[in-house]
Structures are given as C-alpha cells and as structure tokens.
C-alpha cells in the first residue's frame, strides 16, 4: 500500500491534499502533531469519515521526529479523545506504554502500529525488536536511518528475517533509504509513506505520490519485477529514472529503475547478487570503482578505463560505456564522411577521456586544452593526441581555415549550473565553420554555445548525448529499442 502522510497545518488543507492525491494512494496518515494551534478535536474525529481510504492516526512527539511538544500525559489525553474517530490504525511508539489507551483502541476496532525511530543508524537488534512487538499482536514499524549502503542493504534482510510476521512496516529514512521506500514490497513492508510535493515531509527521504505510483509503480513491484538502477554519490538529482521507467511502462516490461546512493561499490555488488539486480547505470564517482568487479569489459571501457553501464550476463557482470557511443551518435555521420578531421577538446578529465578516445578511434587528430596543462599532456600521450596551453587558443583561432578545428568539444563542468555564464575557452574566437559540441546539458544554452551560435556554428547540445547514451543503456538493459513518442 502507498500511504500519503498528511502534514498540513489544518484539517481543511489536509483534506484538500487527500482529494488531490487520493487516486495515487491506498492509505493516509494524519499527522495530528503537525496541526497548528489548538487541536480541533471534533474535526479530527470526523476526518476518517470524509476519506474513502483507511486512515492512520499519528501524533508524533519531538523526540521521534514530530512536532508534539507537550508532555506524555497531554498526548495520551488527546489520543484518548481522538480514537473516537473511525481510524483504521493508530501509530503509537514503542515506549508509550499506556495500557488504558491500548485497551480503548482495541475496543474501537483500531489496529495498533507500534513504531520506533532511529535517526542515527540502523539498530543491531532491529529484527528482534520487531519480533517482540508482533508477539503482542501489533503491527511493528521501524523507521531507521541507514548511514551507508551496507546499512541500507540490511533493511532488505527484513524480508527473510521477519517473514513469519504478516504485517510489518520497515523503512530506511534519508537518501540512503530511498530504495527501501520504492522497493518496500521486497523488504516485506506492508506500506510505504510518501508526501505531497512542497509539503513538509513526514520523515526524511519521503518521495512524492506521483513518483511512487506513476514513475516507480511501487505498489506493483514483486519478485518477478526486474530491478535496474543507477549508482552514484550524490544521486538524488539524477534524471535517469525519468528516462528508463517510462520506457519500461510503454513496452509493458515488468521492471523498475531505482536511484541507489552508494558509498561502497563492493556493498552494492553484494546486494545486487542477493536481490538479483539485472543491470545498472554508473555515475560519479564510481565509473572507475566498478572496474574490478566486472567479468567482461568492452573495448571502449578497456581504452577509457571508465564504465557507465553494467549488465548481468549469464554469470558475470559486463561493463560497457554508453557515454562513448552517446557522444559519437550526433556526429557519427560527420566522422564517417570525413567532415570532421580535426578536433579541439576542452578539458582533460573523465568525460574528455571518452571523447578523445572516440575521436581518435575515428582517425581524428585531436588538440587538448585544459586548465591544468599537465593533465592535458598525460591524456594526449595516452591517446596519441596533442596538448596545448590555454593561451594558444587565441593563436589557433587566427589560423587559416585549413588549420582550424572542424569540431570543438567542451567537456568540463564550466558553464554548468550552478556556475552557468562561465566560458572555459573565451580566448578562442569561432569562425562559424566549426561544429561546436558542449557536453553540459544544464543549461541547454551555455555561454560557449551562445558565442558559437552567434558566429554561425552548427551546434550539438549536451542533452543530445545524454539522451543517446540513455537510449543505448535502455537497449543494453532490455534488448529493446527505447519506445518513440
Ligand atoms: P568529468 O568526469 O566530468 O570530466 P573530472 O574528471 O573531474 O570530471 O574533470 C573535470 C574537468 O573539468 C577537468 O578537465 C578540469 O580541469 P583540471 O584538470 O584543471 O582540474 C575541468 N575543470 C573543472 N573546473 C574547472 C574550472 N573552474 N575551470 C577550468 N576547468 C575546470
């Protein structure tokens, strides 16, 4: 079940939120502690009758991440009044211990979710505590905070460790915990919480109802669902789930693509074997870190020493680099027809390595210019290219047309948000005959592209490479072309 946590400051706005999202969710949690001013007891009691979905009543105290700051006696008295409402569940913390309340709750036919929160880690006795709660006939709920990928992976052990408990709720908070929210069915959790965009999250790491229901289809995930994802650190900004998941849906492939915040690649590979991950994308800083775990690597990965796509073949993990092919895609014809013979590459980092190798493999002569000359020289030596000093850019742009580059590729992060407006090659004046390719895709129009476009150059935008490499990844994962339209 997908549960919307309602955290608005009054009952009217909570109802509005409910109405807005009710098609996407199965349960709502009313966070009474988030209401401002005196609690409108009668309105809260009536609330479940105004919802067609089951409602969880929660009044969280500050220590457990809520806003109820009065004493326990007040909380008890308040809950005692509110349980007159037709709530389906009440969330009471493990340390509440008020028999009187529990008896009344049970008499009113409300199921108890007995929760505990850990904002500092994943407790060693997590499963033991949940077992103990379930022995009292209550639904155990643990919201814990993984501080590493290995911590996150432990939460998935709940499926096996707690298999004999029919109903339980087990979630990881924060960015590390996001996969436990999306793949909640695989941890054995009864439900997963989400919160409306722009509202205060019920707990750190909650994602929106649209993402849960429409992008990840979290409530349809089962053991038959093929799991894919992206690993990186940081990762929550990634656009890749918004590319791959809609592709799966259009082709009716039972698969999901999840963002994984990964600090240790080793932990991720161990997890992948256990959970049966079929393939994943790799982003900063793991494009080289994954190499020791790959059983098969493609030629471009061997050359570049960096891998952005990993798939499970029969037994081995195979690594390829779709950045390499994604880069080539928009200019392939120009390379094949000899329209591009000379290239100037700005930058000498990881992205430049793919670019320079791709161009060299097509027989292009390549000049590399970089803030740090030393890195440019190293890359040039490896790839059989030449390195130039930044000051030489002005000289090159004064050369006659035969000696000027046919292609200029910008591979650095200069000009990218949040540092938009910067130009890493301002010494270079475009003639208008060059093809100018900026790998930066946010913003679409960088300062360099703007200048090149004004000079009349043909432009290749960073997003063209991004899409091309994403579509290739999709094909690598599924064996199918990305659906058009
Ligand atoms: P990526 O994998 O995206 O290429 P990287 O390997 O860290 O990232 O490489 C970053 C590239 O952008 C390098 O060429 C870097 O230049 P240095 O080798 O001098 O560090 C370049 N770069 C980053 N910030 C820059 C800046 N402010 N000005 C100029 N070049 C910059």
């Amino acid at each position: 079940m997908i549960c919307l946590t309602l955290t608005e400051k009054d009952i009217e706005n909570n109802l509005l939120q409910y109405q807005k999202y009710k098609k996407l969710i199965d349960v709502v949690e009313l966070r009474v502690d988030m209401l401002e001013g005196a609690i409108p007891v009668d309105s809260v009691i009536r609330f479940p009758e105004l919802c067609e979905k089951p409602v969880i009543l929660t009044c969280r105290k500050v220590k457990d991440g809520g806003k109820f700051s009065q004493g326990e006696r007040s909380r008890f008295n308040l809950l005692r009044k509110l349980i007159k409402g037709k709530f389906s569940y009440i969330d009471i913390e493990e340390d509440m211990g008020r028999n009187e309340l529990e008896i009344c709750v049970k008499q009113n036919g409300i199921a108890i979710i007995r929760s505990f929160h850990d904002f500092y880690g994943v407790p060693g006795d997590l499963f033991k505590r949940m077992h103990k709660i379930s022995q009292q006939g209550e639904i155990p709920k643990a919201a814990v905070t993984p501080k590493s990928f290995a911590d996150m992976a432990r939460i998935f052990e709940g499926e096996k460790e707690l298999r004999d408990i029919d109903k339980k709720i087990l979630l990881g908070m924060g960015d590390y915990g996001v996969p436990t929210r999306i793949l909640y069915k695989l941890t054995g959790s009864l439900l997963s919480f989400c919160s409306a965009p722009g509202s205060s999250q019920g707990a750190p790491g909650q994602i929106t109802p649209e993402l849960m229901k429409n992008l990840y289809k979290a409530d349809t995930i089962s053991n038959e669902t093929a799991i894919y994802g992206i690993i990186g650190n940081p990762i929550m900004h990634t656009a890749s789930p918004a590319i791959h998941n809609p592709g799966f849906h259009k082709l009716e492939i039972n698969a999901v693509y999840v963002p994984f915040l990964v600090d240790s690649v080793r932990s991720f590979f161990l997890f992948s074997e256990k959970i049966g991950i079929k393939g994943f994308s790799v982003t900063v800083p793991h494009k080289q870190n994954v190499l020791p775990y790959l059983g098969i690597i493609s030629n471009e990965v061997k050359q570049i020493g960096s891998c952005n796509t990993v798939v499970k073949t029969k037994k081995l993990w195979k690594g390829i680099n779709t950045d390499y092919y994604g880069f080539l895609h928009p200019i392939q014809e120009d390379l094949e027809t000899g329209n591009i013979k000379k290239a100037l590459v700005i930058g000498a980092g990881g992205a430049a390595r793919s670019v320079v190798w791709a161009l060299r493999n097509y027989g292009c002569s390549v000049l590399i210019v970089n803030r740090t000359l030393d890195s440019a020289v190293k890359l040039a030596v490896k790839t059989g290219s030449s390195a130039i000093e930044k000051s030489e850019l002005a000289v090159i742009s004064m050369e006659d047309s035969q000696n000027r580059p046919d292609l200029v590729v910008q591979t650095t992060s200069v000009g990218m948000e949040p540092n938009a407006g910067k130009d890493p090659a301002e010494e270079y004046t475009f003639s208008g005959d060059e093809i100018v390719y900026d790998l930066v895709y946010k913003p679409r129009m960088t300062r360099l592209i703007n200048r090149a476009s004004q000079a009349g150059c043909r432009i290749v935008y960073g997003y063209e490479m991004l899409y091309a490499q994403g579509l290739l990844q999709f094909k690598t994962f599924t064996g199918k072309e990305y659906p058009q339209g």
Side-chain angles (χ1 to χ4, degrees):
M1 296 193 289
I2 299 176
C3 178
L4 175 66
T5 301
L6 294 172
T7 56
E8 294 298 314
K9 62 180 192 308
D10 55 41
I11 287 292
E12 291 70 30
N13 278 304
N14 277 320
L15 262 178
L16 286 176
Q17 289 284 29
Y18 164 73
Q19 294 294 347
K20 193 167 171 192
Y21 295 107
K22 65 181 179 187
K23 286 206 177 84
L24 304 174
I25 54 147
D26 309 291
V27 191
V28 281
E29 178 190 39
L30 180 63
R31 283 284 299 271
V32 174
D33 57 293
M34 304 293 260
L35 297 172
E36 284 179 6
I39 306 282
V41 172
D42 291 338
S43 305
V44 175
I45 291 174
R46 271 199 309 276
F47 187 81
E49 288 166 45
L50 303 174
C51 300
E52 299 91 335
K53 314 265 177 182
V55 183
I56 304 173
L57 171 65
T58 302
C59 182
R60 194 74 75 223
K61 57 185 189 282
V62 172
K63 172 181 155 274
D64 294 312
K67 282 201 171 158
F68 193 85
S69 54
Q70 297 167 42
E72 276 302 82
R73 184 84 222 156
S74 307
R75 201 160 72 103
F76 164 75
N77 286 337
L78 175 66
L79 286 171
R80 188 72 213 269
K81 287 182 205 155
L82 299 181
I83 56 171
K84 290 198 193 101
K86 293 196 178 340
F87 291 98
S88 301
Y89 305 91
I90 182 169
D91 182 317
I92 326 180
E93 297 78 6
E94 199 185 26
D95 58 1
M96 183 134 183
R98 297 271 179 179
N99 278 343
E100 209 183 322
L101 178 67
E102 287 148 26
I103 292 163
C104 295
V105 162
K106 283 177 189 157
Q107 278 169 354
N108 290 10
I110 303 175
I112 296 180
I113 296 173
R114 183 70 71 170
S115 62
F116 60 90
H117 297 80
D118 191 327
F119 293 98
Y120 302 100
V122 179
D125 58 354
L126 171 66
F127 301 133
K128 208 166 131 197
R129 275 165 85 176
M130 292 184 77
H131 268 294
K132 208 167 145 200
I133 294 170
S134 85
Q135 278 156 14
Q136 296 155 16
E138 298 172 346
I139 301 170
K141 173 188 164 187
V144 295
T145 308
K147 294 286 187 198
S148 64
F149 188 83
D151 274 357
M152 196 290 298
R154 265 191 60 220
I155 297 173
F156 278 82
E157 289 168 20
E159 196 280 324
K160 195 166 149 223
E161 296 283 338
L162 305 171
R163 199 170 280 170
D164 54 330
I165 306 176
D166 188 26
K167 288 182 182 165
K168 67 250 175 193
I169 302 167
L170 180 55
L171 293 162
M173 296 186 281
D175 286 354
Y176 276 115
V178 166
T180 70
R181 295 189 182 277
I182 298 169
L183 303 175
Y184 71 95
K185 289 204 144 182
L186 304 186
T187 66
S189 191
L190 171 69
L191 55 83
S192 184
F193 297 90
C194 57
S195 48
S199 69
S200 29
Q201 288 182 324
Q206 283 185 2
I207 56 179
T208 66
E210 279 103 345
L211 293 183
M212 283 291 273
K213 181 78 177 179
N214 295 336
L215 187 68
Y216 296 111
K217 294 187 188 286
D219 55 334
T220 66
I221 292 168
S222 71
N223 287 333
E224 271 80 59
T225 307
I227 301 168
Y228 297 93
I230 177 160
I231 67 167
N233 189 0
I235 199 61
M236 295 328 291
H237 63 283
T238 175
S240 299
I243 297 175
H244 292 283
N245 287 308
F248 297 149
H249 303 160
K250 279 192 194 144
L251 296 179
E252 295 183 3
I253 299 171
N254 182 7
V256 64
Y257 183 98
V258 180
F260 292 103
L261 176 62
V262 169
D263 56 343
S264 149
V265 164
R266 182 174 180 272
S267 304
F268 180 77
F269 274 95
L270 288 172
F271 174 76
S272 302
E273 294 291 347
K274 268 196 196 148
I275 209 121
I277 287 180
K278 297 253 188 304
F280 56 94
S281 317
V282 186
T283 188
V284 177
H286 296 314
K287 287 184 182 182
Q288 289 170 323
N289 301 343
V290 294
L291 297 181
Y293 300 90
L294 304 177
I296 310 171
I297 54 172
S298 58
N299 286 337
E300 78 283 352
V301 170
K302 217 175 283 176
Q303 257 186 344
I304 306 162
S306 140
C307 164
N308 80 329
T309 310
V310 178
V311 275
K312 194 74 189 265
T313 57
K314 271 179 198 136
K315 277 200 176 137
L316 301 172
W317 292 105
K318 179 183 176 187
I320 65 166
N321 196 319
T322 65
D323 285 341
Y324 174 95
Y325 297 105
F327 164 71
L328 283 174
H329 188 260
I331 53 168
Q332 192 117 20
E333 218 180 294
D334 297 283
L335 288 164
E336 279 164 7
T337 56
N339 205 14
I340 299 174
K341 292 200 186 82
K342 288 189 293 295
L344 170 68
V345 173
I346 306 159
R353 231 173 21 240
S354 298
V355 165
V356 175
W357 272 117
L359 295 170
R360 292 294 297 134
N361 288 345
Y362 272 88
C364 267
S365 71
V366 178
L367 286 181
I368 305 168
V369 62
N370 190 45
R371 176 178 61 179
T372 316
L373 179 63
D374 211 30
S375 320
V377 171
K378 278 190 188 132
L379 182 58
V381 168
K382 269 199 188 137
T383 56
S385 316
S386 313
I388 56 164
E389 299 225 29
K390 247 190 127 206
S391 56
E392 287 180 70
L393 282 175
V395 182
I396 296 170
S397 43
M398 284 189 296
E399 296 265 9
D400 57 37
S401 61
Q402 281 170 332
N403 292 321
R404 294 172 68 107
D406 309 309
L407 172 74
V408 177
V409 190
Q410 197 301 108
T411 72
T412 76
S413 52
V414 181
M416 183 163 75
E417 282 171 9
N419 297 312
K422 299 235 169 76
D423 186 337
E426 47 199 2
E427 299 86 347
Y428 186 86
T429 312
F430 294 102
S431 71
D433 292 332
E434 302 92 337
I435 299 173
V436 180
Y437 194 156
D438 195 336
L439 268 48
V440 168
Y441 55 89
K442 242 184 196 173
R444 181 170 181 263
M445 204 68 174
T446 59
R447 195 181 162 97
L448 180 100
I449 288 288
N450 207 359
R451 230 166 28 86
S453 159
Q454 275 172 13
C457 297
R458 191 180 120 200
I459 305 296
V460 183
Y461 293 98
Y463 71 82
E464 296 178 58
M465 170 178 169
L466 181 76
Y467 282 120
Q469 74 77 23
L471 304 195
L472 262 165
Q473 265 185 348
F474 188 84
K475 190 164 183 197
T476 309
F477 291 151
T478 63
K480 298 194 165 92
E481 295 294 341
Y482 193 82
Q484 295 301 313

